[in-house]
Amino acid sequence: MDILSLPPALALILGTYAVLAALAWLRRVTAEKVEGRRNGIILNLLRRAAPPVIGGIMVLILGSVMGVIGATGMGFLLIAGGLAFGLHRGLDDLRANDKRVLLFRAAMTAAISMTLIWQAGLF
């Protein structure tokens, strides 16, 4: 196992969780009738997810310009982690994260991401 293959694998796991959480988050946002509340939910997501995503984009850009080995994996890890954190906390604020839903989302994340990691040959 190479240490440089760990950040892309973690980014894939966090990205899978972020995609599944985004589907639940979009379902909640589109069902919201009051436009002001919908805008507040979107701004709340931007407040939580934007700083790590911007940091990850900066790591990607600076890593490619300077030629740093492993910057791509770390950049994608920051982006996926920021999106996963922002969407998870956004669903917590909407009270859409009970134990049953979280367990199902974690099981789906594990199944999908481990299949993708195995198919990509990261481990």
Side-chain angles (χ1 to χ4, degrees), residues 76-95:
F76 285 129
L77 182 62
L78 280 171
I79 293 170
L83 288 174
F85 174 74
L87 289 164
H88 179 78
R89 294 297 300 166
L91 286 171
D92 271 347
D93 289 345
L94 295 173
R95 292 177 179 78

Side-chain angles (χ1 to χ4, degrees), residues 96-117:
N97 276 346
D98 60 349
K99 289 182 182 180
R100 183 177 51 92
V101 171
L102 280 176
L103 186 62
F104 178 72
R105 195 176 304 138
M108 290 298 295
T109 298
I112 293 169
S113 61
M114 292 305 148
T115 303
L116 291 173
I117 287 172

Side-chain angles (χ1 to χ4, degrees), residues 26 30 33 44 52 59 74 77 100 104-106 108 120:
L26 280 172
T30 56
K33 300 292 185 213
N44 194 17
V59 167
M74 289 304 293
L77 182 62
R100 183 177 51 92
F104 178 72
R105 195 176 304 138
M108 290 298 295

Side-chain angles (χ1 to χ4, degrees), residues 25 28-30 32-47 94:
W25 184 83
R28 285 299 194 121
V29 170
T30 56
E32 188 62 46
K33 300 292 185 213
V34 180
E35 186 174 343
R37 181 159 161 76
R38 186 180 313 135
N39 291 340
I41 294 169
I42 293 169
L43 286 175
N44 194 17
L45 173 66
L46 288 175
R47 179 179 62 93
L94 295 173

